[in-house]
């Protein structure tokens, strides 16, 4: 009799530990490929007999209880769309203990025992807090900045860098026609990966990144003049948003060199557009993996792509990692600009 009771209690404990409902949200800046990840989370979970709840407007929407049921049909014809069908927002309240406890309570109220958070480091910090409050969480790296240290790939970077590359090619055409110097500002407030990749891909003469701290404008002007004397018909500077000041920089260069100089700020166009094949496939793979991790009883994890493999890390470990611009790539960019 006691043995039968113990077996029943063990079975009940096992059922309670199982994931029944998975929530999914996108947080922070939007990135192409987020919809592919949402679609993969939804369909993978439904294939396992789980319920799926979409949370609109990230953590802000969670605190406002903007929660909807998601079906397979709800995510049909979304994989090719940019942005995020769940919308996104930044949420200061999730940085407070009160906000975190409220978010955990709302998850429990709606039966969300597993939560997939698609976003950057700030979003992962929120997921970490929820995990400590009893909500199983898995983070997916969604940012066009490629600035998450635990992964070589982030959802949206490939699309954003290709969007910027194509725009810069067009600017170079007109810059050559008018024999101009062109400063093209790409996104990247704290990280210069978009600038670096575009600088190499577009054959820029100079790349300015926030990681460099200060740059020598006098040396830059001297190089522009030297290139002009060698017969170059344009001079392309890729400038990261974190360096900024592109319009004033253009004025200073024109005054110093006498060469017509124009600034082009690409801005938020880099966030939009249909995701590339890579962003669709990798985001789908990561979304499916997130559900597998939750069903395996894992929590407080971040999915990444490292050395050619999809892997997962503890969120604490992921957040403690530091990422630096690869010095060899920057050196290659300088050599190729000669």
């Amino acid at each position: 009799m006691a043995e039968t009771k113990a077996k029943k209690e063990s079975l009940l404990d096992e059922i309670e530990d199982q994931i029944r409902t998975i929530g999914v949200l996108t947080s922070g800046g939007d990135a192409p490929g987020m919809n592919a990840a949402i679609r993969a989370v939804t369909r993978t979970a439904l294939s396992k007999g789980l319920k799926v709840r979409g949370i609109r407007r990230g953590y802000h929407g969670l605190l406002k209880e903007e929660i909807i049921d998601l079906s397979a049909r709800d995510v049909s014809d979304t994989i090719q769309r940019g942005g995020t069908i769940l919308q996104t927002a930044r949420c200061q309240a999730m940085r407070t203990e009160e906000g975190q406890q409220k978010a955990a309570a709302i998850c429990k109220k709606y039966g969300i025992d597993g939560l997939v958070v698609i976003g950057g480091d700030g979003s992962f910090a929120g997921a970490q807090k929820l995990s400590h409050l009893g909500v199983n969480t898995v983070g997916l790296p969604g940012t066009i900045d490629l600035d998450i240290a635990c992964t070589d790939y982030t959802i949206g970077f490939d699309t954003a860098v290709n969007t910027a590359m194509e725009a810069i090619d067009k600017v170079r055409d007109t810059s050559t026609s008018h024999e101009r110097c062109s400063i093209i500002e790409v996104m990247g407030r704290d990280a210069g990966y978009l600038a670096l990749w575009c600088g190499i891909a577009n054959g820029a003469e100079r790349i300015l990144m926030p990681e460099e701290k200060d740059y020598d404008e006098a040396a830059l002007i001297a190089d522009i003049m030297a290139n002009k004397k060698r017969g170059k018909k344009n001079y392309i500077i890729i400038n990261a948003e974190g360096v900024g000041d592109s319009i004033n920089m253009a004025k200073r260069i024109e005054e110093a060199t006498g060469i017509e100089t124009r600034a082009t700020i690409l801005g938020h166009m880099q966030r939009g557009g249909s995701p590339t094949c890579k962003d669709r496939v990798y985001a789908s793979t990561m979304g499916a993996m997130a559900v597998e991790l939750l069903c395996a009883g894992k929590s407080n994890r971040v999915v990444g792509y490292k050395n050619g493999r999809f892997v997962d890390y503890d969120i604490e470990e992921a957040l403690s990692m530091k990422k630096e611009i690869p010095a060899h790539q920057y050196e290659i960019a300088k050599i190729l600009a000669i």
Side-chain angles (χ1 to χ4, degrees), residues 44 93 118 130 153 191 195 201 204-205 239 296 305 308 320:
T44 304
I118 309 168
L130 289 176
Y153 163 84
E205 280 67 40
N239 187 28
Y305 183 80
S320 69

Side-chain angles (χ1 to χ4, degrees), residues 53-308:
R53 293 203 160 123
I55 300 163
R56 289 186 170 136
R57 298 180 182 86
Y59 290 124
H60 176 80
L62 176 59
L63 293 174
K64 296 291 184 181
E65 300 187 40
E66 296 181 26
I67 298 169
I68 58 172
D69 290 328
L70 288 177
S71 67
R73 179 168 293 181
D74 291 325
V75 293
S76 294
D77 297 322
T78 60
I79 195 169
Q80 77 280 8
R81 289 168 56 186
T84 162
I85 58 170
L86 290 176
Q87 300 174 293
T88 185
R90 303 188 191 276
C91 182
Q92 291 298 321
M94 267 302 287
R95 297 179 183 274
T96 68
E97 187 176 345
E98 182 183 359
Q100 294 154 12
Q101 290 177 347
K102 182 180 178 182
I106 290 169
C107 284
K108 289 168 185 174
K109 175 182 175 180
Y110 284 85
I112 297 171
D113 32 32
L115 180 65
V116 179
V117 174
I118 309 168
D121 284 342
S123 305
F124 296 164
Q128 177 190 45
K129 298 299 184 183
L130 289 176
S131 178
H132 293 162
L133 293 168
V135 181
N136 298 310
T137 57
V138 173
L140 300 186
T143 169
I144 66 168
D145 291 330
L146 193 65
D147 60 347
I148 298 176
C150 70
T151 182
D152 298 330
Y153 163 84
T154 60
I155 296 168
F157 175 78
D158 191 62
T159 305
V161 79
N162 276 283
T163 297
M165 179 191 72
E166 290 168 9
I168 294 165
D169 280 343
K170 292 175 172 62
V171 174
R172 184 185 279 279
D173 288 343
T174 188
S175 185
T176 303
S177 297
H178 291 269
E179 297 185 88
R180 286 177 182 150
C181 171
S182 290
I183 302 169
I184 304 157
E185 186 172 310
V186 299
M187 296 190 87
R189 187 173 62 250
D190 300 310
Y193 292 95
L194 278 169
L196 177 63
W197 281 52
C198 286
I200 295 172
N202 293 105
E205 280 67 40
R206 187 64 196 271
I207 306 167
L208 303 178
M209 300 180 293
E211 289 86 350
E212 282 189 292
K213 308 301 181 193
D214 299 318
Y215 69 96
D216 188 339
E217 193 165 290
L220 174 60
I221 289 168
D223 192 52
I224 292 169
M225 295 298 291
N227 273 268
K228 182 73 172 177
K229 288 177 182 176
R230 287 202 301 269
K232 287 209 72 168
K233 290 184 168 52
N234 61 59
Y235 193 98
I236 301 295
I237 301 167
I238 308 298
N239 187 28
E241 174 189 9
V243 178
D245 196 38
S246 295
I247 293 172
N248 290 322
M249 191 190 304
K251 290 176 181 176
R252 293 193 299 270
I253 289 172
E254 184 165 333
E255 288 173 2
T257 64
I259 298 169
E260 185 181 9
T261 305
R262 293 288 179 268
T264 302
I265 299 173
L266 299 183
H268 285 81
M269 67 175 287
Q270 295 158 93
R271 287 198 182 279
S274 182
T276 60
C277 179
K278 183 173 185 176
D279 274 331
R280 298 183 197 195
V281 173
Y282 280 33
S284 296
T285 304
M286 286 180 160
M289 186 172 172
V291 175
E292 297 287 352
L293 287 169
L294 288 169
C295 289
K298 302 283 184 70
S299 181
N300 201 42
R301 310 297 293 178
V302 173
V303 175
Y305 183 80
K306 205 76 173 170
N307 301 321

